[in-house]
Amino acid sequence: MADACCGPAPARPNSAGATTSDDGPERLRQVRELQYAAIAAVLLGAGWLIGTAGSERVATLLALLAAVVAAVSFVPGAVRNLRHGRVGVGTLMTIAAIGAIALGQIPEAAMLGVLFSIAEGLEHYAVTRTRRGLRALLSLVPPTASVLREGTEIILAPDELSIGDIMVLRPGERAATDGVIRSGRTSLDLSAITGESVPVEAGPGDEVHAGAINGGGAVEVRVTALAADSSLARIVHIVEEAQERKGAGQRLADRVARPLVPAIMILAALVAGLGSLLGDAMLWIERALVVLVAASPCALAIAVPLTVVAAIGASSRHGALVKGGAALEELGRIRVVALDKTGTLTRNTPQVIAVITRNGVSEHDALTAAAALEARSEHPLAQAVLTAAGDVTAAEDVTAVPGHGLHGTVDGIPLRLGKPGWIDPGDLADDVAHLQGEGATVVLVERDTTVVAAIAVRDELRPEAPEAVHRLRGLGIDVAMLTGDNRRTAETLAAQAGISTVHAELLPEDKAALLPALAGGRRIAMVGDGVNDAPALATADIGIAMGAMGTDVAIETADVALMGEDLRHLPQVLAHARRARRIMLQNIGLSLAIIGVLVPLAATGVLGLATVVFIHEFAEVLVIVNAIRAAEAAALPGLTATGARHVDVWIRTPPLAKGIRS
């Protein structure tokens, strides 16, 4: 089982030179180990029936043949591992089977082989099934794409697309790769990627991600990424790599299993040696063989890895990328969540709702001056000002003062744009307070040391935010809001969301410094956009990027990336991780308990080989079945689980950028 048992599973290379083991049987009857086990079981049963009829020699031969057939599934792997200096559970089972045959316990040896092969086959099938569920995402890419080249529409395979090509996306068709709409308007169904069932309206300039379904009119899309580098291929690569990372629970199982195998062999040798000095040598050698089987840590070796693979695969089908076993286990221990305001609790589409001016300055002039400073900014509030102002000429010598604002010059006149406090509002103070009380963010425009305008921008609360906060509290998780916005605006919005703990007017480094105090010794998660909140995401026990679909930095720097814009993904993934962690602990506890109980009973002769084999392998099957439960994750109302049949799509996986967290 796993590498600790019989060596790594066969793997094939992908186009990046990496290997993947998701190819395998689609049905239980196709599992090689189960086929061997079935044949061996039939032979063993036939031998028993013939033995009851009085033909002992034929019965013994059939039992021996059954033992050999069953051993084919694990003995060759154990021998290969032994040749490379690796002693695993398969080695213990091989020694026990050979020893049982040598002692004349041939039916018991056959039973050991049958049950061990069944457990191994079930694990192989379970791992294959969960990995296939993830890679089935790639079947969302259509086999062909319609492309306009030199005025002619042609049909190409996705891997033949070039950056700059114009894809024609008709109603009901899927996008073959990422792009930007050049002409036409439509609605895009992203449910298979983000887990959100509500279509998104899109028009010229809007992004289209690989796998998105065109639910409206025909659109022309300019290709911005090769099919091998699309957001969908990136997601699959990142999650596959994450599945290989080990969490604390998995490392615990490894730390126990690694020294346990040689320790078991030493224990068995001591039982045989010391027992032989005190009594019947054959009796104690037989008990030593039973100890080998009883102390086999095979269930322990697969207890956590299988749970991790199943849980991460289930999360990815619900629009959440969990970056490995360490992140999954830590996510299951979270008791405090800190939420950024802009883009997390709000829609991230702010609009200018009021412009108040002084000193004869018109609203248009005030917006133009503000937009000149914001011309090259990517901040959501900047985009609201730029949208309201229209085309403007960028200011000169623009300098950003983090957490405060901007300053520069237009036609030689100095300008400043920033928050009240950094700029004194003067006689606009009452207007600023009123607008902030309505939940708006206010920035002041100062021209040549004189405040000339106050611009109010408001980003509406996500409609699902109150429900998401309520669900978090239902999980026993405390919720706090962190923002760089002013206190009155922050408190107004927090009250609408049902959040009582609010920290406002924070610089990026202030958010990071505040997290330990908020945690109070508990595990804390920070939820932000993955870029502006990078210090806090790195400081928190778990960094969670919200709405990260297509955002390289957000996906690769956070521990968890929520691909959709629905905040309810957050309590969903936290509840799922908590359940997966419980399953891990259950499996580890059961595995250690079985070893602790069976070893002394085997060493003292209370249990024979047949009984120990049955109990041990039955417990192993229980561990596998329990681990598979981690693949179950119910979608919340309005959220959709992805589902797609498996196809073999070759991708070139891009190298990961170095993230903030290790």
Side-chain angles (χ1 to χ4, degrees):
M1 300 287 163
D3 193 39
C5 217
C6 307
R12 66 170 176 84
N14 64 16
S15 54
T19 58
T20 175
S21 57
D22 66 299
D23 288 338
E26 294 189 6
R27 295 179 175 83
L28 275 173
R29 66 172 181 270
Q30 296 173 327
V31 179
R32 183 176 62 91
E33 294 88 349
L34 295 182
Q35 292 172 347
Y36 284 131
I39 295 171
V42 170
L43 291 172
L44 185 60
W48 178 79
L49 289 175
I50 292 174
T52 58
S55 301
E56 292 294 337
R57 179 170 296 182
V58 175
T60 300
L61 288 174
L62 286 175
L64 181 60
L65 183 59
V68 172
V69 171
V72 170
S73 67
F74 62 90
V75 171
V79 172
R80 282 194 302 270
N81 282 346
L82 198 58
R83 206 162 46 228
H84 291 90
R86 294 195 299 266
V87 177
V89 180
T91 308
L92 301 184
M93 292 300 178
T94 300
I95 294 172
I98 293 173
I101 292 174
L103 293 174
Q105 297 186 5
I106 297 176
E108 286 80 359
M111 184 185 298
L112 183 152
V114 168
L115 293 175
F116 188 65
S117 295
I118 290 174
E120 187 180 6
L122 288 176
E123 185 213 354
H124 181 199
Y125 177 72
V127 172
T128 299
R129 192 183 74 170
T130 53
R131 288 190 184 277
R132 184 182 292 116
L134 169 64
R135 293 198 59 89
L137 286 172
L138 289 179
S139 67
L140 299 175
V141 177
T144 60
S146 300
V147 181
L148 289 176
R149 285 186 179 174
E150 298 179 355
T152 303
E153 185 173 331
I154 59 176
I155 305 298
L156 298 175
D159 58 4
E160 295 177 313
L161 293 172
S162 301
I163 295 176
D165 276 343
I166 304 300
M167 288 191 301
V168 178
L169 203 59
R170 295 181 173 83
E173 293 182 342
R174 291 186 185 271
T177 188
D178 298 343
V180 175
I181 295 178
R182 188 179 73 164
S183 64
R185 301 197 67 84
T186 186
S187 60
L188 298 175
D189 180 356
L190 301 175
S191 59
I193 306 169
T194 66
E196 295 173 12
S197 59
V198 179
V200 177
E201 298 299 320
D206 290 331
E207 292 184 348
V208 177
H209 298 295
I213 302 174
N214 181 12
V219 292
E220 293 183 359
V221 180
R222 181 174 58 83
V223 173
T224 59
L226 300 177
D229 300 325
S230 71
S231 52
L232 195 59
R234 224 168 41 239
I235 289 169
V236 173
H237 171 59
I238 290 171
V239 177
E240 282 186 328
E241 186 169 273
Q243 288 178 333
E244 301 303 323
R245 300 177 186 172
K246 297 187 176 184
Q250 191 167 346
R251 289 192 295 269
L252 171 62
D254 291 342
R255 286 199 302 270
V256 173
R258 192 174 295 115
L260 193 57
V261 172
I264 291 166
M265 299 183 73
I266 294 172
L267 175 63
L270 289 174
V271 169
L274 295 177
S276 298
L277 295 176
L278 300 175
D280 185 352
M282 295 303 293
L283 173 64
W284 286 100
I285 290 174
E286 180 180 337
R287 289 182 180 179
L289 292 173
V290 179
V291 167
L292 280 179
V293 177
S296 165
C298 204
L300 181 64
I302 66 171
V304 177
L306 184 55
T307 307
V308 168
V309 170
I312 291 178
S315 294
S316 70
R317 293 191 298 274
H318 286 269
L321 301 187
V322 181
K323 308 284 277 296
L328 180 70
E329 183 170 352
E330 199 70 13
L331 199 61
R333 301 169 68 188
I334 293 300
R335 291 297 179 270
V336 184
V337 168
L339 298 169
D340 179 49
K341 180 178 76 70
T342 304
T344 302
L345 282 168
T346 63
R347 293 177 181 272
N348 204 22
T349 54
Q351 296 178 332
V352 173
I353 62 169
V355 180
I356 300 173
T357 61
R358 290 290 187 274
N359 301 317
V361 175
S362 68
E363 291 187 7
H364 179 265
D365 289 343
L367 286 170
T368 300
L373 290 171
E374 298 275 28
R376 293 184 175 88
S377 174
E378 296 296 327
H379 194 280
L381 297 184
Q383 296 306 307
V385 173
L386 290 168
T387 301
D391 294 333
V392 297
T393 301
E396 301 172 350
D397 302 324
V398 176
T399 302
V401 181
H404 297 293
L406 304 162
H407 61 78
T409 61
V410 174
D411 297 330
I413 300 174
L415 291 176
R416 281 206 303 167
L417 177 72
K419 60 169 58 176
W422 187 55
I423 298 176
D424 185 356
D427 61 354
L428 288 172
D430 290 340
D431 297 299
V432 169
H434 174 72
L435 291 168
Q436 290 176 342
E438 293 182 346
T441 298
V442 180
V443 291
L444 298 170
V445 181
E446 182 186 80
R447 186 170 64 185
D448 197 15
T449 71
T450 302
V451 176
V452 296
I455 301 175
V457 180
R458 186 162 60 204
D459 190 5
E460 299 298 334
L461 185 73
R462 294 182 185 275
E464 77 279 2
E467 179 186 347
V469 171
H470 176 72
R471 289 183 179 274
L472 288 172
R473 295 194 187 285
L475 293 172
I477 295 174
D478 292 338
V479 183
M481 186 178 83
L482 307 183
T483 180
D485 212 339
N486 70 86
R487 177 162 297 280
R488 293 191 64 179
T489 299
E491 289 179 347
T492 299
L493 190 138
Q496 295 172 7
I499 300 174
S500 56
T501 304
V502 181
H503 295 272
E505 302 175 6
L506 300 173
L507 298 175
E509 57 268 27
D510 295 334
K511 295 180 182 179
L514 188 60
L515 291 179
L518 280 175
R522 298 168 293 174
R523 301 291 179 177
I524 186 168
M526 175 68 197
V527 187
D529 61 10
V531 182
N532 296 330
D533 299 305
L537 289 172
T539 303
D541 295 299
I542 285 290
I544 302 175
M546 175 74 185
M549 183 62 193
T551 307
D552 291 338
V553 175
I555 293 176
E556 294 180 7
T557 59
D559 301 291
V560 180
L562 304 181
M563 307 312 296
E565 297 287 343
D566 195 314
L567 192 57
R568 291 177 297 173
H569 282 297
L570 180 59
Q572 182 181 45
V573 72
L574 285 167
H576 179 61
R578 188 173 291 186
R579 179 171 179 268
R581 184 170 180 270
R582 284 199 302 268
I583 291 173
M584 289 182 202
L585 296 177
Q586 290 167 3
N587 281 347
I588 291 175
L590 176 61
S591 303
L592 292 176
I594 290 295
I595 294 174
V597 171
L598 290 186
V599 167
L601 295 178
T604 55
V606 175
L607 297 179
L609 181 61
T611 306
V612 168
V613 167
F614 179 80
I615 295 174
H616 200 285
E617 299 306 324
F618 180 71
E620 192 171 333
V621 171
L622 287 181
V623 166
I624 293 171
V625 172
N626 194 38
I628 293 174
R629 290 172 51 230
E632 302 169 1
L636 295 174
L639 302 180
T640 305
T642 63
R645 59 182 178 82
H646 176 71
V647 296
D648 191 19
V649 180
W650 294 92
I651 63 171
R652 177 171 60 84
T653 50
L656 288 177
K658 186 177 181 181
I660 293 175
R661 294 175 63 87
S662 58

